[in-house]
Amino acid sequence: MKKEIHIPELSLVTLIGISGSGKSTFARKHFKETEIISSDRCRALVSDNENNQAATEDAFQLLHYIAAKRLKNGLLTVIDATNIQREARASLVQLARQYHCIPVAIVLDIPEKVCAARNDVRPDRNFGSHVIYLQRSQLRQSIKKLKLEGFRHIYTLRSVEEVESVTHIIREKLYNDKKDVHGPFDIIGDIHGCFTELTELLTTLGYTVDRVPEEGINFGFQVTHREGRKAIFLGDLVDRGPDSPGVLRLVMSMVYTGIAYCVPGNHDAKLYRYLDGKQVQLKHGLQKTVEQLANESDLFRTQIKEFIDGLISHYVFDDGKLVVAHAGLKEEMHGRGSGAVRSFAMFGETTGEIDEFGLPVRYNWAMEYRGKAMVVYGHTPVPEAQWLNRTIDIDTGCVFGGKLTALRYPEEVLVSVKAKEVYEVPSRPIDFEKKQEVLSHQQQNDAILDLEDVIGKRIITTRLRNNVTVKEENSIAALEVMSRFAVNPKWLIYLPSTMSPSETSRLDNYLEHPAEALGYFQSQGIAQVICEEKHMGSRAVIIAGKDEEAIARRFGIRNEGAGICYTRTGRSFFNDAAMSKQFIDRVIAAATKAGIWERLNTDWICLDAELMPWSVKAQALLRSQYAAVGASASTSLRDVVETLQQTSQRKLEGIDILLDKFAAKQMMVKDYTNSYHHYCWPVNSIDDLTLAPFHILATEGAVHVDKDHAWHMDTIAAIADADPALFLKTEHRVIDVNNEAQVQEIIRWWMELTERGGEGIVIKPLDFIATGKHGLVQPAVKCRGKEYLRIIYGPEYTATENLNRLKHRGLSGKRSLALREFVLGVEGLERFIRQEPLRRVHECAFGVLALESEEIDPRL
């Protein structure tokens, strides 16, 4: 007769049987090799001898360690040992409880003679028959008490034939596992008998609620949704409110007809105990529910009891992305099954303290939550639902005169209806914390960042390019900058990426040329590109709010003004606080005059820009490097050329050649000094600055990478027109790289720009994010002018021997770096807009800064 054994897919399976009962053979037949932890194997690992009984203690320490790691990671684990003593099993049951897994016992109760015979033919089993007899005796004494020890599933196989009859071990999903259900959902907070508000909220959410004759499982209601959405009720359906029976009928009908899920709340559990005849105190609103149910039939009360008894403590939906529980749930409890999980999901956790209202102080588990899943819960009434570390409490105290709130998933949109009246006055006012708070829960929690979140090797998951790896040594370099020089981390929602130059020009006298830059995008299958004049300034990120309150609301920053301008390494651009304020005030005024706040439906904006002159942030560099090189070279070469000119009058052989060589060097140095002087001028006030924005990175609710670059330029033009004294509109042209006439026009434009001292152009795909033949393409390629490159590579880079060497420069590392930094920048902005914790946003900004310390030629 064939036999199947059913076990939870996440469980700790303990094989129990005397030596020779066939446990190892049974394990190998029905479980994966990696799932089995054998005590014999552990002895071998710690002593090179699996029969070394002296190594037993070390072996079992190793066994428990491995089992703990597997259970922590949610992996079924099988313990292959005799496990005939209660003490040995107790530690395993405790391990299962620790990791909220279900303990399973499979007993191989094989006759003693069979086991003895098997051991006789094994040379490594040379113990006497008395050992088998003793083990058998211990097994017989303990197997009747396995349930009392805590094993939830027990299977006993009493013969060789019964063991061999087991054909399959079926792994069953836990009841809370709804990972294959993806929504969309409408998750509804604590109702507490507010039937009218519930029907109004369901209608607002698009559900049709019809009254029908009560029969079967509909309980007098038929609920449908035209888009196929489903509701999830977070428990506490009853108590305190005016119509708990009505709420129960509606929710039970929706659950039983498959249009809703429901988890139990602590008030529902207490009602169950009352209906089950247990002694409970009729407090906290239960008295009102009992009175309302007095007029209901015995059948309905029985149906309520059965309904509540069948509710699952929590659910995991959408491939593990969504977890719902009445009081919330720690990450290590997600998808697990234990009494502790059910208790936490229903009641939460208290600190043991009592607040000034005589109520227990609840432990705020959400402050320490680091899980990937979104957790939606209720239980504790709050005046407004707020996100905290990817968790949200949506019990907005409807029964206390607040609101009944739903969270739409995956949209993450909150929908509420106001309570019709105050049905009960709470012991603790639900707006108590709101009156005392200035910042949101998330902003308060973001006050301190943890070093562990950025140090060491980091693997950052991004939407655009899967994972980006940051090496430990690069993290250390970034930490130095962030900890000593960077602005308040709450400002750092974005750091700009580096940019790759074009391929080496095929023309003899050029290192870079637009033909190669345009050719790159053509080779990737990108037709339309935008060519923008490249400004020689310093990269700047500007965050500006409509006012200081807007910054406080969205960034959680107070007393630092209505905005900031920081460098591409996260340092404040201005050392003078007064100048910084004047600058931000000018940006805000221009945005206001241009109608940006209304146009983009925002009260803050983040710009990517170039701030000129270059010298405003490069004074030290100019003095110590460029000016020093220019001055010393000019002086020395002047003396050399004068001496050679005098010597040439003597008509010595080879002097004219030498004079031409040094005269050429002198001219190169002159060109060098002229090049960097072109980008420098004194800055005594804001009026001496020029700002050229080229990206509107983000505003409230939007990261503008979904718009093409022409949109960015047009929108920025409106701001620039509002203050042309500060803002500079960037000259740009959109072309088709397959149109030769347009390509030649760009080359002519580039020549004109660079010949009059311009740095060059930047070429970008018209779409902000573009995918080519080989995946994500470069977000931008710079093509710099001949004389500007003299600043980068030195006065004599155009000498034939130097230029030929430079033409062999490699770009693969630079381009890889540019792409990785770009996707991290976008990821950080998107995380900020999704209102994720600051540590998640900062991880991306920190990653960009860390990547900057990779060994890439900085001249590229």
Side-chain angles (χ1 to χ4, degrees):
M1 182 178 178
K2 303 299 183 182
K3 182 175 182 177
E4 292 180 347
I5 290 178
H6 294 254
I7 63 173
E9 65 177 1
L10 177 53
S11 55
L12 178 62
V13 180
T14 301
L15 300 180
I16 304 172
I18 67 176
S19 179
S21 58
K23 298 182 299 302
S24 298
T25 301
F26 182 86
R28 287 193 298 269
K29 179 179 178 182
H30 295 290
F31 298 98
K32 293 189 295 186
E33 179 183 356
T34 52
E35 294 174 330
I36 305 166
I37 308 177
S38 163
S39 59
D40 288 345
R41 177 62 178 160
C42 288
R43 282 193 193 90
L45 288 172
V46 300
S47 70
D48 286 339
N49 182 355
E50 66 179 32
N51 293 306
N52 181 5
Q53 297 302 310
T56 295
E57 183 177 351
D58 288 343
F60 274 87
Q61 287 179 358
L62 177 60
L63 182 147
H64 282 80
Y65 178 82
I66 298 172
K69 292 298 182 183
R70 289 187 58 83
L71 295 178
K72 177 186 175 184
N73 291 319
L75 300 173
L76 183 142
T77 303
V78 180
I79 305 300
D80 177 14
T82 56
N83 296 314
I84 55 176
Q85 296 175 332
R86 184 183 184 281
E87 294 77 13
R89 297 190 298 270
S91 61
L92 296 174
V93 172
Q94 179 57 37
L95 192 63
R97 287 174 177 165
Q98 180 182 347
Y99 291 99
H100 311 293
C101 301
I102 297 174
V104 175
I106 299 179
V107 183
L108 277 63
D109 188 11
I110 306 301
E112 185 180 333
K113 291 182 179 180
V114 174
C115 296
R118 288 174 174 174
N119 286 322
D120 286 342
V121 298
R122 291 182 59 179
D124 58 336
R125 300 293 173 91
N126 55 4
F127 42 77
S129 59
H130 66 285
V131 174
I132 301 295
Y133 174 81
L134 181 60
Q135 289 182 350
R136 174 77 168 177
S137 176
Q138 291 174 325
L139 177 66
R140 284 293 183 172
Q141 290 174 11
S142 61
I143 59 175
K144 295 179 181 180
K145 301 177 182 179
L146 292 176
K147 189 171 185 180
L148 294 176
E149 293 177 16
F151 287 99
R152 298 268 294 276
H153 299 266
I154 302 169
Y155 294 92
T156 303
L157 308 174
R158 302 187 183 280
S159 66
V160 174
E161 292 74 21
E162 194 171 359
V163 171
E164 293 177 349
S165 71
V166 177
T167 56
H168 294 92
I169 292 185
I170 307 299
R171 305 176 188 217
E172 297 180 336
K173 291 169 56 176
L174 296 182
Y175 294 135
N176 55 44
D177 186 352
K178 300 294 180 185
K179 294 176 185 175
D180 58 337
V181 180
H182 304 287
F185 302 115
D186 298 301
I187 309 167
I188 299 174
D190 302 31
I191 302 167
H192 282 299
C194 298
F195 175 77
T196 302
E197 289 84 352
L198 174 58
T199 54
E200 182 182 342
L201 179 59
L202 287 171
T203 302
T204 303
L205 292 167
Y207 294 83
T208 301
V209 182
D210 294 320
R211 295 269 190 175
V212 296
E214 185 170 339
E215 59 181 34
I217 61 172
N218 66 22
F219 296 97
F221 292 97
Q222 180 176 318
V223 183
T224 57
H225 196 287
R226 61 182 178 273
E227 297 174 2
R229 299 179 72 92
K230 291 188 177 184
I232 301 173
F233 297 101
L234 293 179
D236 275 4
L237 308 176
V238 301
D239 294 351
R240 295 181 171 137
D243 191 2
S244 290
V247 171
L248 285 165
R249 280 192 168 90
L250 180 53
V251 172
M252 289 163 65
S253 73
M254 293 178 69
V255 171
Y256 285 145
T257 55
I259 196 173
Y261 297 90
C262 184
V263 296
N266 55 300
H267 284 264
D268 309 317
K270 190 174 182 181
L271 175 60
Y272 168 81
R273 294 196 302 275
Y274 170 81
L275 294 174
D276 198 38
K278 302 294 191 300
Q279 285 284 83
V280 296
Q281 293 182 333
L282 300 182
K283 295 166 55 177
H284 306 299
L286 179 58
Q287 175 65 41
K288 189 176 290 189
T289 302
V290 170
E291 292 171 356
Q292 293 167 3
L293 289 175
N295 298 323
E296 301 292 340
S297 66
D298 290 340
L299 173 62
F300 183 55
R301 286 193 290 269
T302 300
Q303 290 170 325
I304 293 172
K305 187 179 78 169
E306 292 173 349
F307 171 73
I308 298 174
D309 188 40
L311 295 178
I312 308 303
S313 67
H314 73 286
Y315 285 113
V316 181
F317 291 104
D318 195 16
D319 298 322
K321 298 174 186 174
L322 172 66
V323 174
V324 296
H326 174 64
L329 205 62
K330 298 177 180 178
E331 182 184 18
E332 60 266 26
M333 293 180 168
H334 294 179
R336 307 293 176 111
S338 71
V341 170
R342 185 173 181 84
S343 176
F344 194 103
M346 199 180 306
F347 300 99
E349 188 176 4
T350 60
T351 65
E353 301 170 301
I354 301 297
D355 66 15
E356 60 265 53
F357 301 100
L359 298 175
V361 177
R362 302 193 186 281
Y363 176 70
N364 193 351
W365 61 272
M367 289 182 62
E368 299 176 0
Y369 181 74
R370 296 297 184 93
K372 295 180 180 179
M374 177 193 304
V375 182
V376 187
Y377 63 104
H379 188 49
T380 302
V382 293
E384 298 291 340
Q386 295 186 39
W387 289 101
L388 176 57
N389 296 333
R390 295 292 289 160
T391 77
I392 188 167
D393 178 356
I394 62 170
D395 175 9
T396 47
C398 182
V399 76
F400 300 126
K403 299 177 289 187
L404 185 62
T405 296
L407 175 72
R408 309 202 85 186
Y409 178 90
E411 300 89 343
E412 298 185 20
V413 174
L414 291 165
V415 179
S416 300
V417 297
K418 291 184 178 180
K420 303 304 177 186
E421 60 181 277
V422 177
Y423 299 106
E424 182 169 311
V425 177
S427 301
R428 182 178 191 267
I430 63 173
D431 63 347
F432 173 73
E433 289 187 2
K434 184 178 181 181
K435 292 177 181 177
Q436 307 203 8
E437 289 176 2
V438 175
L439 305 179
S440 71
H441 293 165
Q442 186 63 66
Q443 289 166 349
Q444 292 178 65
N445 197 60
D446 286 341
I448 298 177
L449 293 171
D450 191 338
L451 179 65
E452 294 299 320
D453 289 328
V454 292
I455 202 66
K457 180 181 178 180
R458 310 294 301 176
I459 298 177
I460 307 173
T461 301
T462 68
R463 175 178 68 87
L464 296 179
R465 192 181 169 175
N466 296 325
N467 296 331
V468 175
T469 300
V470 178
K471 297 178 182 178
E472 181 176 7
E473 56 267 30
N474 300 135
S475 294
I476 294 170
L479 184 62
E480 171 73 7
V481 175
M482 283 291 186
S483 61
R484 296 183 59 192
F485 307 111
V487 300
N488 184 337
K490 291 185 177 182
W491 289 116
L492 294 178
I493 64 175
Y494 175 80
L495 285 182
S497 60
T498 189
M499 193 189 320
S500 169
S502 62
E503 283 88 347
T504 300
S505 173
R506 291 186 292 271
L507 299 175
D508 290 339
N509 297 322
Y510 290 91
L511 183 59
E512 295 177 12
H513 191 272
E516 282 71 29
L518 294 167
Y520 164 76
F521 291 106
Q522 185 180 46
S523 70
Q524 293 294 315
I526 304 296
Q528 281 194 305
V529 300
I530 186 168
C531 304
E532 303 173 3
E533 180 180 358
K534 191 174 190 308
H535 304 291
M536 179 52 171
S538 299
R539 192 76 171 267
V541 176
I542 296 106
I543 295 173
K546 200 172 182 180
D547 49 40
E548 289 193 35
E549 284 303 310
I551 293 298
R553 274 193 308 273
R554 191 59 186 88
F555 291 81
I557 298 173
R558 284 197 175 277
N559 304 317
E560 293 189 29
I564 195 170
C565 177
Y566 59 82
T567 70
R568 68 184 308 268
T569 57
R571 309 178 190 215
S572 179
F573 213 102
F574 299 100
N575 295 322
D576 186 323
M579 180 176 281
S580 177
K581 184 179 185 305
Q582 291 173 24
F583 179 81
I584 293 298
D585 287 347
R586 288 276 293 272
V587 173
I588 294 170
T592 301
K593 185 177 179 180
I596 291 298
W597 314 123
E598 297 77 17
R599 178 175 176 180
L600 299 180
N601 191 27
T602 187
D603 57 7
W604 63 273
I605 191 169
C606 179
L607 300 171
D608 198 356
E610 202 77 13
L611 186 58
M612 295 164 278
W614 175 52
S615 55
V616 75
K617 286 301 291 183
Q619 291 288 2
L621 188 66
L622 281 167
R623 287 193 300 267
S624 64
Q625 182 172 319
Y626 295 103
V629 170
S632 61
S634 298
T635 301
S636 60
L637 286 171
R638 183 184 63 242
D639 292 343
V640 170
V641 170
E642 288 178 355
T643 300
L644 289 173
Q645 286 174 340
Q646 295 173 4
T647 306
S648 66
Q649 297 174 6
R650 298 168 61 185
K651 307 298 183 182
L652 298 175
E653 184 179 355
I655 289 295
D656 289 341
I657 297 175
L658 200 59
L659 175 61
D660 290 342
K661 178 181 177 180
F662 280 92
K665 286 178 178 285
Q666 187 180 39
M667 183 58 66
M668 291 178 189
V669 169
K670 182 179 180 181
D671 290 342
Y672 172 78
T673 56
N674 288 340
S675 294
Y676 70 74
H677 279 142
H678 184 76
Y679 306 111
C680 306
W681 60 82
V683 176
N684 299 311
S685 71
I686 293 299
D687 295 331
D688 298 320
L689 297 175
T690 299
L691 181 66
F694 44 86
H695 293 152
I696 297 180
L697 292 169
T699 54
E700 183 59 33
V703 178
H704 297 290
V705 296
D706 58 336
K707 284 90 170 176
D708 64 32
H709 286 289
W711 176 90
H712 286 262
M713 286 298 176
D714 291 343
T715 309
I716 287 167
I719 303 175
D721 287 338
D723 188 352
L726 174 63
F727 288 88
L728 174 66
K729 287 192 284 189
T730 298
E731 188 176 352
H732 62 279
R733 300 174 187 186
V734 177
I735 70 160
D736 185 337
V737 297
N738 298 308
N739 185 313
E740 185 59 28
Q742 293 181 3
V743 169
Q744 290 304 318
E745 174 59 29
I746 291 299
I747 293 174
R748 281 193 294 273
W749 177 48
W750 177 80
M751 294 289 291
E752 293 171 2
L753 283 175
T754 56
E755 285 175 2
R756 65 171 185 255
E759 179 181 341
I761 62 175
V762 175
I763 303 174
K764 308 172 183 176
L766 185 59
D767 291 334
F768 203 107
I769 298 172
T771 304
K773 294 179 180 178
H774 306 294
L776 199 65
V777 303
Q778 290 292 311
V781 170
K782 58 188 175 184
C783 182
R784 297 164 290 186
K786 187 174 183 180
E787 290 309 314
Y788 172 78
L789 287 171
R790 201 176 298 281
I791 302 175
I792 304 302
Y793 287 104
E796 299 179 35
Y797 96 98
T798 49
T800 302
E801 63 276 14
N802 292 331
L803 193 59
N804 288 340
R805 175 174 49 80
L806 289 173
K807 280 178 177 286
H808 290 91
R809 65 184 185 176
L811 296 182
S812 59
K814 182 72 169 182
R815 292 201 163 168
S816 170
L817 180 64
L819 273 180
R820 285 177 285 147
E821 291 184 356
F822 173 70
V823 300
L824 283 178
V826 173
E827 181 68 23
L829 289 170
E830 291 179 342
R831 291 181 181 184
F832 179 77
I833 292 303
R834 291 196 298 265
Q835 299 187 35
E836 294 195 27
L838 178 63
R839 61 181 173 80
R840 294 264 298 153
V841 179
H842 194 254
E843 177 184 46
C844 298
F846 190 92
V848 172
L849 191 56
L851 291 179
E852 277 295 299
S853 60
E854 287 192 355
E855 293 182 0
I856 303 294
D857 187 347
R859 299 173 300 177
L860 290 175

